[in-house]
Amino acid sequence: MEIQTFPSEIVFFDLETTVPNKTGQHFHILEFGAIIVCPRKLEELDSFSTLIQPKDISVVSLRSSRSDGITRAKVRDAPSFEDVAEKIYGLLHGRIWAGHNIRRFDCVRIKEAFAEIGKAAPEPSGIIDSLGLLSDKFGKRAGNMKMASLAAYFGLGVQKHRSLDDVRMNLEVLKHCATVLFLESTLPNQLEAQWQNPSKIMTRSRSNKQIAPRAMPYSKGGSLGKMTQNVKNILSKAQGNQALQNLIKHSHSLLR
């Protein structure tokens, strides 16, 4: 059966897996989650998620350290990867793949899973790895580049480490980062004076409505003027990058 492709659509996806604790052990996919996103409006068009039962269910922990984590009992009656492989292939093949650290992890695990069942793996029309993208363009303002830290930085809640929740959080983090980069490139004179003196920035407390000083969590030792120029260069190069242009266009709409 021929699979229809959508090369301009973006599919954000995430895998939850077992974590090997011995040399020679493999990762086993326990959950797949994905959302299909319109690149023009960055709105969710469709979604899919499923728990997955590994061939050897004993590799799954009986208990999870997270309140809504994946346990052996949760995947006991879940479909195998082979049962959902056709659905996953249809979601991924021919679309732009997006996710956090997907180049080194999720993309590799997907290819391994399809190889294990003897079927051809889906191929992307492009890849947007938000870990590499934000490391290069946004920096470690949140302390590190973990999704949980980036989400906390923007007040987007706690990462649940469940596939569908995480991909939706990933998209929101990208929207917020794009807006910040847009502001810094648009208002360099106003922002430069403020960010060079973070201890003097005054913010309004939500609790008592009083004006109080608060240090801004930007990295030390950096020049915003230099960073702004770098952002301008990035935006200039974005003329040929449709995915990045769409993020910037969304930033414009947020500021109207």
Side-chain angles (χ1 to χ4, degrees), residues 141-212:
R141 311 180 196 201
N144 57 55
M145 301 309 299
K146 293 180 179 179
M147 182 55 59
S149 301
L150 291 164
Y153 178 82
F154 288 113
L156 297 175
V158 178
Q159 184 181 11
K160 295 183 178 180
H161 293 282
R162 296 299 300 267
S163 296
L164 201 55
D165 293 312
D166 285 2
V167 292
R168 286 174 173 151
M169 176 173 279
N170 195 171
L171 177 58
E172 291 305 310
V173 164
L174 279 173
K175 289 178 181 178
H176 280 68
C177 289
T179 302
V180 170
L181 293 174
F182 168 73
L183 285 170
E184 290 177 349
S185 67
T186 306
L187 306 171
N189 294 331
Q190 291 90 327
L191 292 177
E192 183 170 8
Q194 292 185 28
W195 304 146
Q196 286 182 345
N197 298 283
S199 62
K200 297 182 180 179
I201 297 176
M202 306 300 285
T203 58
R204 188 174 297 275
S205 169
R206 293 182 181 179
S207 59
N208 56 21
K209 306 302 180 183
Q210 298 296 314
I211 301 296

Side-chain angles (χ1 to χ4, degrees), residues 24-51:
Q25 287 185 335
H26 300 287
F27 290 92
H28 298 270
I29 297 176
L30 301 180
E31 187 176 43
F32 172 90
I35 58 173
I36 296 174
V37 175
C38 169
R40 293 178 296 279
K41 297 182 179 180
L42 295 182
E43 62 184 4
E44 186 176 321
L45 302 176
D46 198 6
S47 66
F48 173 75
S49 68
T50 181
L51 290 167

Side-chain angles (χ1 to χ4, degrees), residues 3-19:
I3 301 293
Q4 187 177 3
T5 60
F6 303 85
S8 64
E9 288 185 347
I10 303 173
V11 54
F12 282 78
F13 75 97
D14 178 66
L15 303 175
E16 294 299 322
T17 71
T18 59
V19 179

Side-chain angles (χ1 to χ4, degrees), residues 18-126:
T18 59
V19 179
N21 52 26
K22 294 181 181 179
T23 303
Q25 287 185 335
H26 300 287
F27 290 92
H28 298 270
I29 297 176
L30 301 180
E31 187 176 43
F32 172 90
I35 58 173
I36 296 174
V37 175
C38 169
R40 293 178 296 279
K41 297 182 179 180
L42 295 182
E43 62 184 4
E44 186 176 321
L45 302 176
D46 198 6
S47 66
F48 173 75
S49 68
T50 181
L51 290 167
I52 294 174
Q53 180 187 141
K55 288 183 178 180
D56 180 5
I57 200 169
S58 67
V59 301
V60 187
S61 300
L62 289 170
R63 297 180 180 83
S64 173
S65 58
R66 304 186 182 105
S67 60
D68 58 349
I70 300 172
T71 62
R72 191 177 301 177
K74 287 187 177 181
V75 301
R76 189 177 301 279
D77 297 321
S80 67
F81 184 83
E82 189 167 12
D83 292 334
V84 295
E86 185 176 344
K87 175 68 174 181
I88 292 174
Y89 186 96
L91 285 167
L92 296 180
H93 187 65
R95 288 188 168 95
I96 298 169
W97 294 5
H100 203 65
N101 196 32
I102 60 170
R103 284 189 182 274
R104 291 189 298 179
F105 188 79
D106 303 80
C107 293
V108 177
R109 304 286 87 79
I110 282 291
K111 290 183 177 180
E112 289 175 347
F114 274 91
E116 188 175 343
I117 61 173
K119 293 186 177 181
E123 294 291 340
S125 62

